[in-house]
């Protein structure tokens, strides 16, 4: 039984979409404020899962998106444009992964 529990924990740690980070920790990791992350939620860029108590929980994937938006904002890009750029970049990356997987299979 312990081996299965350990395997489940390892899978969650490897899953870039697992909502492992609270809003405070996520903001710290991105170098922003919790308000910045909430603004990305309102802009519909991020859709964090909620804990049993209703608190936002962010994944590594969402943190990468937020960090990229932060970088674009620091360069003077408007929030709506930065979000759109990041969405398109993310879609392009996913398409490239899909094509690579199909070539291998």
């Amino acid at each position: 039984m312990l081996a299965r529990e350990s395997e489940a924990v390892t899978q969650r740690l490897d899953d870039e979409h697992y909502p492992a980070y609270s809003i405070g920790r996520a903001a710290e990791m991105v170098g922003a404020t919790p308000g910045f992350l909430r603004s990305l939620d309102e802009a519909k860029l991020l859709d964090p899962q909620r804990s049993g108590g209703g608190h936002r929980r962010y994944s590594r994937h969402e943190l990468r998106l937020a960090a990229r938006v932060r970088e674009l904002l620091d360069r003077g890009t408007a929030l709506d444009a930065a979000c759109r750029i990041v969405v398109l970049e993310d879609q392009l990356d996913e398409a490239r992964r899909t094509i690579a997987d199909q070539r291998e299979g």
Side-chain angles (χ1 to χ4, degrees):
M1 189 63 135
L2 186 59
R4 282 188 196 190
E5 290 175 15
S6 177
E7 183 177 324
V9 169
T10 300
Q11 287 176 346
R12 285 193 303 263
L13 292 173
D14 291 341
D15 182 358
E16 73 172 7
H17 295 285
Y18 181 74
Y21 303 99
S22 68
I23 192 167
R25 181 69 177 126
E28 179 183 317
M29 292 173 71
V30 172
T33 64
F36 172 73
L37 292 178
R38 285 190 291 273
S39 73
L40 297 183
D41 298 352
E42 291 170 14
K44 306 290 187 219
L45 176 69
L46 304 181
D47 186 22
Q49 291 187 26
R50 299 286 180 145
S51 68
H55 300 282
R56 289 174 172 90
R57 304 291 295 179
Y58 294 88
S59 67
R60 288 191 330 257
H61 178 255
E62 289 171 316
L63 295 183
R64 277 196 292 282
L65 297 178
R68 179 69 176 125
V69 168
R70 179 79 203 173
E71 179 183 317
L72 290 168
L73 290 175
D74 289 346
R75 293 181 180 179
T77 305
L79 179 61
D80 59 335
C83 289
R84 185 68 181 140
I85 289 167
V86 168
V87 166
L88 291 171
E89 288 175 343
D90 192 50
Q91 290 172 345
L92 180 58
D93 287 344
E94 181 61 32
R96 286 177 174 158
R97 281 191 295 274
T98 299
I99 290 168
D101 288 347
Q102 289 175 348
R103 286 183 179 158
E104 290 177 8

